[in-house]
Amino acid sequence: MSGIEREPTEVRIPKAALDAFAAALSVRTVAMRTWPNDGLEWMYPVGTWEEAHLEVALLPGGEEVWLRMATDRSSVAVWTIEQWWEFAGELPGATPPPA
């Protein structure tokens, strides 16, 4: 990992926010913005920047994926890359993870 560390926190991600992100990801309509505090490139559904939305970042090294709500960027949920591929693999038009 790149030296970025987080304290374990509870992150509440509304199902609607996760569904909106999944829909945007499945049709490839996510935008990306580099956050100055951590230098990570966060993905979010296009057109949602001004409203509550889910943001997702792949950590350098590709072993973890971070998820956070725009309404509380101090709390981050951590998924393994395997959890991410399981989630992404269920989306319409998904391609299998790289071998």
Side-chain angles (χ1 to χ4, degrees):
M1 214 159 77
S2 67
I4 301 170
E5 294 187 25
R6 293 276 184 169
E7 290 294 322
T9 59
E10 182 175 316
V11 179
R12 295 189 183 271
I13 300 172
K15 184 171 181 349
L18 191 58
D19 288 348
F21 186 83
L25 190 61
S26 70
V27 294
R28 295 176 175 83
T29 57
V30 294
M32 300 179 97
R33 182 175 283 192
T34 300
W35 202 248
N37 297 353
D38 55 29
L40 294 175
E41 196 167 47
W42 290 86
M43 298 179 289
Y44 61 96
V46 168
T48 62
W49 188 255
E50 300 300 324
E51 56 195 61
H53 61 272
L54 177 67
E55 299 174 344
V56 176
L58 175 65
L59 262 59
E63 295 174 11
E64 291 181 345
V65 177
W66 284 4
L67 299 91
R68 68 184 183 188
M69 286 299 297
T71 52
D72 179 11
R73 292 188 171 104
S74 66
S75 298
V76 174
V78 179
W79 282 7
T80 65
I81 195 64
E82 291 80 13
Q83 290 170 307
W84 175 254
W85 280 118
E86 183 179 328
F87 168 75
E90 294 175 6
L91 300 176
T95 56

